[in-house]
Amino acid sequence: MLRNRTDKSKLPSRHVTEGPARAPHRSYFYAMELTEEEIAQPFVGVATCWNEAAPCNIALNWQAQSVKVGVKAAFGTPREFTTITVTDGIAMGHEGMRSSLASRDAIADTVELTMRGHCYDAIVGLAGCDKSLPGMMMAMVRLNTPSVFMYGGSILPGKVPEGSDVPEDFASRDLTVQDMFEAVGRYQAGDVSDAQLAVLERVACPSAGACGGQFTANTMACVSEAVGLALFNSSGMPAPYESRGQYGEASGRAVMDLIDRNIRARDIVTRKSLENAARVVACTGGSTNAGLHLPAIAHEAGIAFTLQDVCDIFRDTPYFVDMKPGGQYVAKDLYEAGGVPVVMKELRKAGLVHEDCMTAHGKPIGEMLDEVKGEADGRVIHAVATPITKTGGVVGLKGNLAPEGAIVKVAGMSEESQVFTGPARVFECEEDAFEAVKARKYAEGEVIVIRNEGPAGGPGMREMLATTAALSGQGMGKKVALITDGRFSGATRGFCVGHVGPEAAHGGPIALVRDGDVITLNAVEGTIEVDIDEAEMDARRADWAGPRPTIYASGALWKYAQLVGSAKDGAPTHPGGAGEAHVYMDL
């Protein structure tokens, strides 16, 4: 007698397993040693971004096996598959970074196509690096299947061996890859030697896992819990911990429960749950890239949730979790202090959590928070009543230089340093800016402008970590500002404004700025202005020669540039939920 516990008559896998006409399909399943019983059960896609590109993804393979154990234990049939990842730490600072943001949408597309082609009934998605997290969550919401997300975990902090000949400030702290990018700037300034750089690069990243600070990967991992797609506290445990397998097994069991109860991704990802996620980004001083990825996830559900909406939430959320790069601690420390559940418990005390949002546990988030025993430790997680700053660690800017908005991370910056006025020093691409910084061909007090790096104009909206880290390494991180229509790494610090829109390729004001134009950035008031009157702006617009040509005239990045939308909407590449004519699960 079959032990099938779920009625498959309305599940997608019926199209490949049920009835005489599917005998050829079933023959393939028997070829893979599935039993009649397993073929009759719900099929669960176990999708991973495993590869050998970087430590972020290397642990996903074994974690997927634990998920499969949980699915099987709950009478489901797991079907593992993989998709791509472009890892920013490797792609950073060269042409490879153009592939990064495009990979987010390619991940969502390939997961969607795999799920559709094989008619899987649900998905557990595992991801480890910056764009793979939102890409996997976008696919879940797009398909609207029962879905559980699982982060691969963070890297352990690096430590310099005792007695090593390195600068004292490196020797005395936990290291992350951010320190390595800044060490390059120190090297260029003559403060770090070849031998010292060689010591640091061997110890900064000591294990599997994604970058350890509250950079983009850990920010989006926190989002996965806050938005409800991941099990509580599953994102916090570092990647090397074998006990992560317990979360994998629990995730596999959870997705089977969601199938039985017909709880789908869009029952979990709502406007309210996205607001919860934005709160967690703000209070932890998370990556500015969340301002790109939250609207993109919302877009998949047909929810209007723009960069400005995200920034409005950032503005009135206190910053009380002391994480790198603006603060002192890394992801492992946050996990040991209680993780996202304790952070959200603090937010709830201030009335900043929508408690009725459904979660992957099959219970509202308010009920989940009722079960959280931990409290703020006052070290990593401060009490919401006594925050580090009263406003979020990330804020939005808007003005005549960015009519569609822009975003800046202010975590760790004093209020006085959040206002900056200076003459523009304009560069047409990141490489030109980096060479100028390396050669110190810029001046204190300037606003460095890097344009033609937006989603379409880049193409690919590159991150500028190599340039910003070099500035910090040269001791100039607080003495200049930087704005771009591109992006910044979650590891970026200093007055660095990204996502300036409209981008230069679309004729935005950033395309019209000239050397010497006076730019004022005010993160306290949320403004970004260039001292040019409208008549002069119109005259420059009339003289504008059009978008800067790129070398990407064919291939994937050409396709991406043709399709990609504005950064304020999350740089989407298709109409999203608002334009769909069917839901996958109901076909």
Side-chain angles (χ1 to χ4, degrees):
M1 179 173 140
L2 299 183
R3 63 176 183 178
N4 180 33
R5 301 291 180 87
T6 305
D7 177 9
K8 289 184 71 171
S9 64
K10 292 185 179 180
L11 293 180
S13 65
R14 74 186 187 278
H15 296 303
V16 295
T17 64
E18 305 301 297
R22 300 310 180 216
H25 304 67
R26 290 193 294 272
S27 71
Y28 274 17
F29 299 133
Y30 285 122
M32 293 183 284
E33 299 187 344
L34 293 188
T35 65
E36 180 182 2
E37 186 176 47
E38 289 169 325
I39 293 168
Q41 295 175 159
F43 279 19
V44 176
V46 179
T48 81
C49 298
W50 178 86
N51 61 35
E52 293 182 331
C56 328
N57 314 302
I58 204 72
L60 296 176
N61 186 286
W62 74 260
Q63 293 183 35
Q65 310 317 307
S66 65
V67 172
K68 290 158 70 176
V69 169
V71 171
K72 290 178 179 179
F75 307 113
T77 301
R79 309 312 298 149
E80 183 180 355
F81 65 94
T82 61
T83 185
I84 67 161
T85 316
V86 173
T87 297
D88 289 8
I90 299 291
M92 192 71 67
H94 55 87
E95 283 293 306
M97 178 47 71
R98 300 194 191 281
S99 299
S100 170
L101 184 58
S103 77
R104 180 196 72 179
D105 295 76
I107 289 164
D109 292 349
T110 52
V111 171
E112 176 198 359
L113 292 173
T114 301
M115 292 285 291
R116 284 184 181 276
H118 302 103
C119 298
Y120 295 153
D121 301 317
I123 182 172
V124 179
L126 296 88
C129 194
D130 295 5
K131 307 309 170 294
S132 61
L133 280 81
M136 192 66 74
M137 288 185 268
M138 286 162 65
M140 292 171 173
V141 177
R142 184 185 303 177
L143 291 161
N144 199 23
T145 58
S147 303
V148 177
F149 178 85
M150 185 172 163
Y151 181 41
S154 68
I155 200 168
L156 293 172
K159 292 283 190 183
V160 175
E162 191 171 341
S164 298
D165 175 25
V166 299
E168 174 57 31
D169 57 328
F170 285 113
S172 62
R173 66 175 184 254
D174 287 341
L175 298 177
T176 69
V177 73
Q178 170 200 357
D179 296 289
M180 286 312 308
F181 278 99
E182 293 188 5
V184 171
R186 298 269 292 272
Y187 174 81
Q188 292 165 352
D191 296 333
V192 170
S193 68
D194 286 295
Q196 291 172 327
L197 196 64
V199 170
L200 291 170
E201 71 186 39
R202 284 165 171 78
V203 299
C205 299
S207 74
C211 304
Q214 195 66 338
F215 312 150
T216 304
N218 283 315
T219 297
M220 295 310 296
C222 291
V223 162
S224 72
E225 285 189 43
V227 83
L229 286 172
L231 299 184
F232 252 27
N233 221 21
S234 63
S235 70
M237 185 181 290
Y241 288 19
E242 290 188 7
S243 46
R244 285 199 66 82
Q246 298 172 8
Y247 285 110
E249 185 173 351
S251 296
R253 290 178 180 272
V255 82
M256 291 302 299
D257 180 57
L258 297 180
I259 293 174
D260 288 342
R261 298 173 59 186
N262 195 28
I263 296 174
R264 303 179 181 184
R266 295 186 199 176
D267 297 319
I268 293 172
V269 178
T270 64
R271 171 71 187 229
K272 286 183 176 181
S273 72
L274 289 161
E275 291 177 358
N276 286 343
R279 296 281 186 202
V280 169
V281 173
C283 75
T284 60
S287 169
T288 56
N289 282 313
L292 192 69
H293 301 321
L294 286 171
I297 293 168
H299 179 77
E300 300 292 348
I303 298 169
F305 193 60
T306 67
L307 172 64
Q308 195 59 51
D309 294 321
V310 175
C311 289
D312 288 345
I313 293 167
F314 289 168
R315 179 164 294 281
D316 65 3
T317 306
Y319 163 54
F320 59 86
V321 184
D322 192 17
M323 301 283 287
K324 287 176 178 277
Q328 302 180 63
Y329 298 102
V330 296
K332 175 176 176 287
D333 300 315
L334 177 59
Y335 170 69
E336 291 172 351
V340 172
V342 171
V343 171
M344 295 194 76
K345 187 176 176 181
E346 285 299 310
L347 285 169
R348 182 167 72 165
K349 292 176 183 177
L352 297 176
V353 172
H354 298 294
E355 298 189 42
D356 57 343
C357 296
M358 183 53 65
T359 69
H361 292 271
K363 296 192 287 189
I365 202 158
E367 290 184 22
M368 295 302 302
L369 290 173
D370 289 340
E371 299 173 9
V372 176
K373 305 299 183 189
E375 296 288 346
D377 66 343
R379 185 179 66 100
V380 182
I381 305 172
H382 293 238
V384 70
T386 55
I388 300 168
T389 60
K390 292 181 180 179
T391 190
V394 181
V395 299
L397 309 177
K398 208 167 188 179
N400 73 342
L401 188 49
E404 290 185 352
I407 194 167
V408 59
K409 178 185 277 193
V410 297
M413 294 173 62
S414 67
E415 188 166 305
E416 302 79 54
S417 65
Q418 292 180 34
V419 179
F420 195 102
T421 297
R425 176 69 68 94
V426 181
F427 298 97
E428 301 298 334
C429 64
E430 183 193 12
E431 285 84 359
D432 291 353
F434 183 71
E435 288 303 315
V437 169
K438 189 166 67 171
R440 296 198 171 229
K441 293 181 178 178
Y442 66 96
E444 182 176 328
E446 289 183 330
V447 178
I448 295 171
V449 179
I450 305 177
R451 63 190 177 201
N452 304 303
E453 295 290 2
M461 203 179 186
R462 287 190 291 181
E463 293 182 348
M464 307 290 153
L465 180 60
T467 302
T468 59
L471 287 167
S472 293
Q474 291 175 7
M476 296 294 284
K478 296 181 179 179
K479 298 176 182 178
V480 297
L482 192 153
I483 71 170
T484 180
D485 52 4
R487 299 181 294 122
F488 293 112
S489 165
T492 293
R493 58 178 177 160
F495 207 143
C496 298
V497 179
H499 304 196
V500 170
E503 62 174 291
H506 292 163
I510 192 172
L512 311 176
V513 173
R514 296 174 182 171
D515 284 344
D517 289 343
V518 176
I519 294 172
T520 298
L521 309 171
N522 189 326
V524 178
E525 299 295 331
T527 58
I528 175 170
E529 300 283 343
V530 58
D531 190 14
I532 304 172
D533 63 35
E534 196 56 39
E536 173 64 15
M537 193 75 84
D538 289 343
R540 292 186 186 184
R541 189 171 288 110
D543 292 339
W544 184 54
R548 180 174 181 259
T550 82
I551 60 173
Y552 296 94
S554 64
L557 287 172
W558 178 86
K559 284 196 291 186
Y560 180 80
Q562 311 313 304
L563 293 170
V564 70
S566 171
K568 73 178 176 65
D569 299 317
T573 56
H574 69 111
E580 69 189 9
H582 77 274
V583 174
Y584 161 74
M585 285 296 290
D586 296 331
L587 284 177

